[in-house]
Amino acid sequence: MSRVFHLTPPGERARTEQPAPAPVPEEPRAGIVAGYLAPHPPHLIYADNPPQNEPRSTGGWEVLRWAYDEVRRRIRDLKPDVLVVHAPHWITMVGHHVNCVPNPRGVSVEPIFPNLFRYHFDFRTDVELAEAMVSSFEEHGLVTRAMREPGVRVDYATIGALHMANPRWDIPVVSISANNNPYFYADAELEQMDVLGTATRVAIERTGRRAVLLASNSLSHLHFDRETELPEDMGREYAYNNDQYRADMKLLEVVRSRPSSALRTAIPEHIEASEAETKSGSLSWLLSALDWPDTTGDILGYGTIIGTGNAVVEWLPDGSRRG
């Protein structure tokens, strides 16, 4: 009985009831924290009706835009220092260029769809990282140039991916060109994108940045040559043809079911089977920068835009998990 009704002395009670010290939060890990396949068709910004874009729409392409809503949420959770984008419509015939202009400002106009995309851009470049990329690219044997012209006109593929991923534009940016001299004609030079991805990762780690990467690629890229009276008429939106659609589905089946290393062969096969924008190298660059993680991709959405196939996909580095 004495043991049952034993009272702990006040001083001892105070000692035993002290709360455990709160765990010290870990410092956020530097390096690439996520990569997204982030297609850029101007129709997505047009349908979003942001204040920066002059044309107004009634909506459209909702499934892809909802996928980007999820990308935005995930990027917010990741708290990156910088967004790095490789875009197929900043075409440089000689070498890989990096935008090192501190505050690009101006109007970006899509040359085929000026009725949909006249976008007023104003963003900050992470110049330290951009310059580090120039150095790293050169060290890895790539022909490289730094873009330092203050009046640089930013292409719509760069703007499209960045806006759809972060319409607040409150995260600094680094943008990389597509050296389309080899990539436009063949997939043989995709191996060079492996080098570009590795060099990108080295620069990010050297500067201690937490980076999210955006590959601004569509998949199949045959598109209709006539626009409907109402561009956002979803009753007229479908794949260009069944061959293009099936090629996209074959590639995405690999994305969703196999580690990213399987895409080393699946991407060239997709290029051979379809008129593919992945030929410009953005997706290969992204996966190489992530070091071809031993994970599947998380497909957030797929849809066609004027017949082209577009997928929004997330890859995380090895060892990372989506909560």
Side-chain angles (χ1 to χ4, degrees):
M1 293 293 292
S2 62
R3 286 196 299 273
V4 174
F5 293 102
H6 175 71
L7 297 176
T8 305
E12 187 176 335
R13 185 184 305 123
R15 286 196 299 274
T16 58
E17 293 179 2
Q18 285 279 339
V24 178
E26 294 183 9
E27 287 292 321
R29 187 185 71 172
I32 299 168
V33 296
Y36 294 92
L37 179 59
H40 61 260
H43 304 66
L44 295 176
I45 287 181
Y46 168 69
D48 248 11
N49 283 320
Q52 300 99 317
N53 197 40
E54 293 176 16
R56 300 287 92 187
S57 80
T58 60
W61 302 280
E62 279 77 12
V63 172
L64 281 167
R65 293 195 291 118
W66 293 338
Y68 268 116
D69 285 344
E70 178 62 15
V71 170
R72 296 166 183 177
R73 186 191 68 77
R74 293 183 181 193
I75 288 176
R76 287 284 149 197
D77 288 346
L78 289 166
K79 299 180 174 61
D81 302 313
V82 63
L83 303 179
V84 182
V85 60
H86 186 280
H89 293 294
W90 181 11
I91 299 173
T92 50
M93 299 306 288
V94 178
H96 307 273
H97 293 209
V98 183
N99 191 344
C100 297
V101 178
N103 180 204
R105 288 178 290 176
V107 180
S108 182
V109 179
E110 211 281 6
I112 300 176
F113 296 102
N115 58 318
L116 305 184
F117 190 95
R118 296 190 301 277
Y119 189 99
H120 297 256
F121 62 88
D122 183 346
F123 61 88
R124 291 174 297 131
T125 299
D126 185 335
V127 176
E128 181 185 357
L129 176 58
E131 296 285 0
M133 284 188 182
V134 172
S135 298
S136 182
F137 294 175
E138 290 174 341
E139 290 169 12
H140 284 80
L142 298 171
V143 176
T144 309
R145 295 289 184 273
M147 169 59 73
R148 299 192 179 95
E149 292 296 324
V152 59
R153 293 197 298 176
V154 182
D155 66 284
Y156 74 92
T158 296
I159 295 292
L162 289 170
H163 172 91
M164 295 306 295
N166 179 39
R168 301 182 192 179
W169 292 94
D170 57 352
I171 303 171
V173 167
V174 176
S175 58
I176 305 170
S177 76
N179 176 209
N180 270 13
N181 190 25
Y183 308 140
F184 188 80
Y185 299 107
D187 62 12
E189 293 298 325
L190 286 181
E191 292 181 6
Q192 192 175 133
M193 301 310 292
D194 246 339
V195 180
L196 188 71
T198 298
T200 299
R201 182 173 68 253
V202 167
I204 289 168
E205 291 174 351
R206 280 179 181 170
T207 53
R209 299 296 197 266
R210 285 175 56 81
V212 165
L213 271 52
L214 305 173
S216 180
N217 266 165
S218 295
L219 298 181
S220 62
H221 206 246
L222 282 178
H223 53 77
F224 305 129
D225 60 4
R226 296 291 184 273
E227 189 175 36
T228 58
E229 183 176 349
L230 181 68
E232 58 267 37
D233 180 357
M234 293 295 98
R236 304 292 297 276
E237 185 59 83
Y238 46 86
Y240 186 85
N241 62 34
N242 187 55
D243 289 341
Q244 300 290 298
Y245 176 76
R246 297 315 314 171
D248 285 352
M249 292 304 104
K250 183 178 179 180
L251 180 68
L252 291 175
E253 183 58 36
V254 176
V255 167
R256 68 190 289 269
S257 63
R258 300 181 62 187
S260 69
S261 58
L263 292 167
R264 288 181 182 271
T265 55
I267 291 171
E269 288 172 357
H270 179 259
I271 291 170
E272 181 69 24
S274 69
E275 187 61 40
E277 196 174 43
T278 49
K279 192 180 293 185
S280 68
S282 299
L283 179 56
S284 299
W285 161 81
L286 169 73
L287 294 170
S288 172
L290 286 164
D291 202 17
W292 300 93
D294 192 27
T295 57
T296 58
D298 187 3
I299 300 172
L300 303 178
Y302 175 87
T304 63
I305 299 179
I306 58 169
T308 68
N310 300 269
V312 179
V313 185
E314 179 192 64
W315 283 271
L316 297 177
D318 281 338
S320 297
R321 297 182 64 184
R322 173 66 54 196

